[in-house]
Structures are given as structure tokens and as C-alpha cells.
Amino acid sequence: VAPYTITYFAVRGRCGATRIMLADQGQEWKEIVVSFEDWMKGDLKKTCVFGQLPKFEDGGLTLFQSNTFLRHLGRKHGAYGKNDCEAAQIDMFNDGVEDLRTKYLKMIYQEYETGKDAYIKDLPNHLCKFEAVLAKNKSGFLVGDSISFADYSLFEVLLNHLVLSPTCLDSLPALKSFVDTLSARPKIKAFLDSEDYKKLPINGNGKQ
Ligand code: 0HH
């Protein structure tokens, strides 16, 4: 039986990285899909700590905040570094990914028509920071020598950016190889090839 449940709208959205992480860690999970109509009734919203989805359940533990899901899974499945110093660096990089994700979501939901071109033009200035980190760390991961939740989050945000701008990694070889390596991990590959993954749009407004 699946110990984990994700309750969310029918999008990859803020659960993309969590799902990829669960798949790569060999975990099973249940999905409860909430329609916009059901959400608008307001009953579920009232039960959500911050009035928003996604919700993540691990047995009797109920969590909100997508980055909290990643940290919880990181702790449980050995993807949070091998000591406190690595854990702190993993937090730092995950927060950096969150900054990029927030900019991306703002562009997608608030200024796609007016801001997309400028966003893509400015993108190398953000991606080059991650490029430098990966070029320096010979393991191919952001921190230390094994995969962490921050790697899954970076990977997922890069997949979305490759849809937005297919050439965005052409001058960033370490990031390109990072995406290739993670895409080729057997459980990630199987998940990315699955209908469960492919059927969901990236975002809720049809833009990508
Ligand atoms: N910091 C939170 C986190 O990381 C942010 C959660 C959040 O923004 O978990 N939740 C939004 C939905 S995420 C929310 O609950 C964006 C997906 C939009 C898809 C909507 C499509 C619906 C059609 C099926 N928003 C609703 C609300 O605030 O009432």
C-alpha cells in the first residue's frame, strides 16, 4: 500500500519535483485530483493550513508547502546530504531553485504575453549560477556525491524551462549533462515516459 498521498489540481505545477523524487526513490503514492469546480466550493480550502494545495500525506502526517514535501522525503530517503553542512548547502540550493521557480510562475501566470521574451533573454543570468556549481562539483550533483531533493527540484525546473525555450541549455554544458544524466536514471525515465506524467499539463492556464 502507498504510504503517500498527493492532493492537488490536475497539473505538474508545484508537485512535479515531488513526483519525480518519489518515482526515483522507488516509492508508490496515491493521487487525489481536485477539480477547479470542487475547489471553488471552498470546503477543502478551509482545511488547508495556508488555504492552498498541494497537500501531502504520509500516513497520519499531513503537510502543506511543496518544498516541505521535498525536505521530508529527503530526510526519510537519504537525499538530504551526509551531514549538517551538506544539508545546509542543499537547503541553500533548493531556495535558489525556488527563487527561479517563483520568477517562472510569475511570468507564466501574470505576464506570459508581455514578459516571455524578456524572461527568456534574462534566463542565462540565472541558469549560469547553477552551471557554475555543477561544473565545480565533479559528482554531477549539486552537493556532495549523491542525489538530494534539491537536485530533483532543479531538474524539474530545468525540464519546464526546456519546454519554454528548447535551446536554453545549449551554452551550459554542465546543466545539459545534469539533465541528461537525471533523465536517464531508470526510474525517472520510466516515470517521464508514463501516461500519468504526460497527461498532466505543466501549468494550470495552458501556458508553458
Ligand atoms: N508555497 C505553496 C507551495 O509551494 C504555494 C501553493 C500554491 O500556490 O506549496 N497553490 C495554488 C495552486 S499551485 C493554490 O492552491 C498553481 C497551480 C494552479 C493550477 C490551477 C488549475 C485548476 C484547474 C484544475 N491556489 C488556489 C487558491 O489559492 O485558492
Side-chain angles (χ1 to χ4, degrees):
V1 286
Y4 301 123
T5 304
I6 289 173
T7 304
Y8 196 34
F9 304 108
V11 292
R12 294 183 201 159
R14 283 199 159 273
C15 281
T18 298
R19 293 183 180 115
I20 289 171
M21 180 169 186
L22 285 168
D24 193 48
Q25 295 292 327
Q27 300 302 306
E28 289 182 12
W29 71 97
K30 189 178 146 194
E31 296 270 358
I32 298 176
V33 181
V34 178
S35 69
F36 190 64
E37 293 69 42
D38 275 351
W39 180 251
M40 291 313 282
K41 290 176 192 153
D43 300 337
L44 176 59
K45 186 177 178 76
K46 271 185 240 151
T47 71
C48 299
V49 171
F50 300 103
Q52 293 195 309
L53 294 176
K55 168 163 88 173
F56 185 86
E57 289 162 284
D58 175 2
L61 173 70
T62 300
L63 297 173
F64 296 90
Q65 295 293 351
S66 53
N67 287 292
T68 295
F69 314 160
L70 295 174
R71 287 192 165 83
H72 178 63
L73 293 170
R75 282 185 204 98
K76 278 188 72 168
H77 297 288
Y80 210 147
K82 60 176 177 298
N83 55 44
D84 286 354
C85 291
E86 283 194 2
Q89 290 173 296
I90 290 166
D91 281 339
M92 176 178 79
F93 290 122
N94 197 68
D95 287 348
V97 174
E98 174 60 23
D99 285 352
L100 180 59
R101 189 182 294 283
T102 303
K103 285 190 185 75
Y104 168 81
L105 291 171
K106 180 164 182 264
M107 182 278 294
I108 290 283
Y109 284 101
Q110 295 172 28
E111 50 203 34
Y112 190 83
E113 282 72 23
T114 52
K116 180 186 163 183
D117 294 344
Y119 181 90
I120 291 174
K121 200 161 172 241
D122 188 40
L123 196 50
N125 298 322
H126 300 289
L127 296 181
C128 73
K129 310 299 194 297
F130 295 102
E131 172 72 16
V133 175
L134 286 170
K136 217 172 138 197
N137 195 8
K138 297 298 172 214
S139 71
F141 301 114
L142 285 167
V143 178
D145 51 20
S146 62
I147 199 158
S148 74
F149 69 87
D151 291 304
Y152 295 114
S153 196
L154 176 61
F155 173 61
E156 200 265 343
V157 102
L158 291 173
L159 291 181
N160 297 342
H161 281 84
L162 283 166
V163 173
L164 177 76
S165 168
T167 58
C168 72
L169 301 185
D170 285 2
S171 313
L172 301 165
L175 281 179
K176 175 88 176 52
S177 125
F178 175 79
V179 168
D180 291 345
T181 306
L182 265 70
S183 303
R185 286 167 76 94
K187 289 173 186 149
I188 292 185
K189 186 176 183 321
F191 178 64
L192 297 182
D193 286 340
S194 73
E195 267 320 297
D196 284 348
Y197 174 78
K198 287 193 283 192
K199 73 181 178 203
L200 294 180
I202 300 176
N203 300 302
N205 61 356
K207 296 176 185 163
Q208 60 178 36

mmCIF file of all heavy atoms in Angstrom, residues 1 22 87 94 161 184 195:
data_model
loop_
_atom_site.group_PDB
_atom_site.id
_atom_site.type_symbol
_atom_site.label_atom_id
_atom_site.label_comp_id
_atom_site.label_asym_id
_atom_site.label_seq_id
_atom_site.Cartn_x
_atom_site.Cartn_y
_atom_site.Cartn_z
ATOM 1 N N VAL A 1 0.842 -1.207 0.000
ATOM 2 C CA VAL A 1 0.000 0.000 0.000
ATOM 3 C C VAL A 1 0.870 1.247 0.000
ATOM 4 O O VAL A 1 1.929 1.290 0.623
ATOM 5 C CB VAL A 1 -0.953 0.053 1.213
ATOM 6 C CG1 VAL A 1 -2.094 -0.919 1.047
ATOM 7 C CG2 VAL A 1 -0.185 -0.243 2.502
ATOM 8 N N LEU A 22 9.704 10.882 -5.733
ATOM 9 C CA LEU A 22 9.056 9.640 -5.279
ATOM 10 C C LEU A 22 9.338 8.505 -6.258
ATOM 11 O O LEU A 22 9.673 7.386 -5.850
ATOM 12 C CB LEU A 22 7.547 9.851 -5.141
ATOM 13 C CG LEU A 22 7.076 10.655 -3.929
ATOM 14 C CD1 LEU A 22 5.602 11.037 -4.084
ATOM 15 C CD2 LEU A 22 7.286 9.862 -2.639
ATOM 16 N N ALA A 87 23.605 19.354 4.406
ATOM 17 C CA ALA A 87 22.165 19.659 4.473
ATOM 18 C C ALA A 87 21.931 21.156 4.302
ATOM 19 O O ALA A 87 21.003 21.582 3.600
ATOM 20 C CB ALA A 87 21.583 19.161 5.800
ATOM 21 N N ASN A 94 18.236 24.579 -2.841
ATOM 22 C CA ASN A 94 16.790 24.436 -3.059
ATOM 23 C C ASN A 94 16.095 25.804 -2.988
ATOM 24 O O ASN A 94 15.165 26.068 -3.757
ATOM 25 C CB ASN A 94 16.172 23.464 -2.044
ATOM 26 C CG ASN A 94 14.807 23.002 -2.494
ATOM 27 O OD1 ASN A 94 14.690 22.280 -3.482
ATOM 28 N ND2 ASN A 94 13.762 23.447 -1.822
ATOM 29 N N HIS A 161 11.780 24.661 -18.210
ATOM 30 C CA HIS A 161 12.430 25.715 -18.995
ATOM 31 C C HIS A 161 12.815 25.237 -20.392
ATOM 32 O O HIS A 161 12.837 26.019 -21.331
ATOM 33 C CB HIS A 161 13.632 26.283 -18.239
ATOM 34 C CG HIS A 161 13.225 27.265 -17.174
ATOM 35 N ND1 HIS A 161 12.827 26.862 -15.919
ATOM 36 C CD2 HIS A 161 13.105 28.612 -17.191
ATOM 37 C CE1 HIS A 161 12.494 27.945 -15.207
ATOM 38 N NE2 HIS A 161 12.654 29.007 -15.951
ATOM 39 N N ALA A 184 18.122 9.921 -17.585
ATOM 40 C CA ALA A 184 18.474 8.537 -17.918
ATOM 41 C C ALA A 184 18.412 7.610 -16.713
ATOM 42 O O ALA A 184 18.554 6.390 -16.865
ATOM 43 C CB ALA A 184 19.872 8.503 -18.540
ATOM 44 N N GLU A 195 2.114 7.619 -18.855
ATOM 45 C CA GLU A 195 0.911 8.408 -19.145
ATOM 46 C C GLU A 195 0.578 9.318 -17.968
ATOM 47 O O GLU A 195 0.146 10.454 -18.145
ATOM 48 C CB GLU A 195 -0.281 7.497 -19.450
ATOM 49 C CG GLU A 195 -0.493 7.199 -20.912
ATOM 50 C CD GLU A 195 -0.268 8.375 -21.853
ATOM 51 O OE1 GLU A 195 -1.015 9.369 -21.742
ATOM 52 O OE2 GLU A 195 0.661 8.327 -22.681
#
